[in-house]
Amino acid sequence: MTTTAPHRHRDTPGTGPHRVGLVAATAAGRRHARTLAAAWPHARLVEADGVAEALRTAWTTCDAVVAFLATGAVIRVLAPLLGDKRTDPAVVVVDEAARHAVALLGGHAGGANTLAAEVAAVLDARPVVTTATDAVDLPGLDTLGWPVEGAVAAVSRAILDGEPVRLVVDAVWPLPALPPNVHREPPTGEHRAVGPEPEGGYRVLVTDRVVPVDDRTVVLRPPSLVAGVGSSRGVPAAEVDALLHRALADAGLSPASLRCLASVDVKADEEGIRATADALGVPLRTWPAAELSAVDVPHPSEVVRAAVGTPSVAEAAALRDGGTLLVPKTASAMATVAVARHAPRGRLAIVGLGPGAADLRTPRAVAELRRAAVVVGLDQYVDQVRDLLRPGTRVLASGLGAEEERARSAVAEATAGHAVALVGSGDAGVYAMASPALEYADERIDVVGVPGVTAALAAAALLGAPIGHDHVYLSLSDLHTPWAVIERRVAAAAEADLVALLYNPRSRARDWQLGAVLATFAAHRPPQTPVGVVRNASRPDEQVHLATLATFDPTVVDMYGLVVVGSSQTRLVGGRMVTPRGYRWRG
């Protein structure tokens, strides 16, 4: 399968081809601008005859503007240029001392709120965001990543004011948490057109159908439709576009809900199809003819088989990943289209929270927690992040020993179509929730892995540089692994002279195993080999203890500690464990 992505114009300033124009009038402003330009390859200082002309130039040539000027001056220059918030550049204003980065224009639609935060991070300033939904920690209806139509401002204000708002969906989609005054109704399941709100109340509709919109209704367009496209060689883009829009209109479907265009591999370079996908802002996915020929379709054609190797292109491509055919193949002179509706895919983010300290929690982990409608995890880990969750987030917390139950619950919620975050400490893939969850997850859900700082990394940083060379993670818990297997693995690590990081080293019920493990290592390493233990790394009651294989006392260790056993090359230097990168000690 081949996927061609469309052009994107609103990428994150620091990470993508997003043109950021920097405008400054003073030496201090230019100094701050140079700092941003050094951090962002796609940011540049805009030079012109005067600061007003530089602002106008940046406005017309860049996707975003960062102005190191007074807010009033920027407003006076840009006011005559304002058009539509969906197309105007984002504008952030930074004061002379770089104390504040103010999202002035294009907060949501233009990305100014995000840009202000990124500018502030680079300049060590404070982001200032005045968008109402951001101020009260609610997701904006125009920030959910889907096309939105209708009375966005009026419905957003109703949500902010706590007025009752109905959420009417054709199916369960992975939306973020919404506050309690937004009443989620059971899916209609019929994808029927929805008429005007009889009570005159506010509502949010989530549908791919063309529906009447009044001044109290917002329509969110989920990515539910796949349009299969076949064509003769050299088909004009205008013909493909016209046929597709006519087919959608006749079926009462919105083009804003197109997930992608799909075709056979030999059409991957067909400019008319590619240009149509780009104009719609969706990817073009193409499949080998052999795969499409295996798809059961209502209207196969031997003529098509002879031409491209499959009896169907449009219908088979639309149905390649399942779905229900809504528009059977319909043709123009040189093109054929078919449209299928696909069921929602739930979203499971498996999030590592790090070792405990908030500043060791990654921004990606925070973002996933804030976009989730359901958060699942061990109660003590959920308590660490409750302040990050949006109002209306459903929390499924449980105690120690319920790992499999948590994994099943998270997958079940995602399979039902929800946006779910399954949280664990450290990295979710290291002795944590990723493995049990992915044993149950299937192709019906999208899975996002969010790496975290492991306990081993946090402990190693506190001890010095013990894992500068080859090392191994070992868990001494025999709840899931027989002790005989653990013993063999410990012996192999000891004989291989690997630095060993021992998870779950000792508990009340397992009070002798750690001593036996250290004896195994002592049989292969000098008695002066350093051993370190870190308890509650990065937390307020953090403790670090250093000893050697000859002097280490296992009774100082419990389940909140992690033990690091050095290799034969590990040394204590200045009170820190150091394993040289090569097995030549440079003394």
Side-chain angles (χ1 to χ4, degrees), residues 379-400:
D379 46 15
Q380 59 184 286
Y381 298 151
V382 172
D383 288 342
Q384 292 178 15
V385 296
R386 282 187 186 272
D387 61 314
L388 299 175
L389 307 183
R390 293 191 185 275
T393 302
R394 187 155 49 95
V395 175
L396 303 179
S398 53
L400 288 169

Side-chain angles (χ1 to χ4, degrees), residues 282-376:
V282 299
L284 170 63
R285 303 179 71 190
T286 58
W287 304 94
E291 291 191 33
L292 295 184
S293 65
V295 179
D296 186 29
V297 297
H299 304 102
S301 167
E302 291 306 314
V303 174
V304 174
R305 186 197 297 274
V308 294
T310 171
S312 172
V313 173
E315 289 182 343
L319 293 169
R320 168 57 181 76
D321 287 332
T324 303
L325 192 65
L326 302 181
V327 179
K329 69 175 182 180
T330 181
S332 62
M334 298 181 68
T336 305
V337 301
V339 181
R341 175 183 288 128
H342 289 249
R345 294 177 61 84
R347 193 174 193 277
L348 175 61
I350 304 176
V351 180
L353 298 178
D359 59 352
L360 290 182
R361 192 182 300 140
T362 67
R364 189 176 299 181
V366 174
E368 289 295 343
L369 290 169
R370 293 177 62 75
R371 77 168 289 172
V374 183
V375 172
V376 183

Side-chain angles (χ1 to χ4, degrees), residues 22 31-41 43 66 68 118-119 122-123:
L22 310 176
R31 185 171 65 253
H32 300 319
R34 286 193 293 271
T35 299
L36 278 186
W40 296 346
V66 179
F68 296 88
E118 295 198 352
V119 169
V122 174
L123 299 179

Side-chain angles (χ1 to χ4, degrees), residues 186 268 336 585-586:
T336 305
W585 182 255
R586 300 175 184 267

Side-chain angles (χ1 to χ4, degrees), residues 398-468:
S398 53
L400 288 169
E403 287 86 356
E404 186 169 353
E405 175 190 336
R406 286 193 290 275
R408 288 181 179 273
S409 295
V411 171
E413 292 286 345
T415 303
H418 300 295
V420 182
L422 175 61
V423 302
S425 67
D427 182 281
V430 180
Y431 302 123
M433 293 304 300
S435 293
L438 295 185
E439 287 187 51
Y440 300 114
D442 59 27
E443 68 282 351
R444 290 174 293 174
I445 63 176
D446 295 320
V447 176
V448 178
V450 181
V453 177
T454 66
L457 293 176
L462 291 167
L463 290 169
I467 55 175

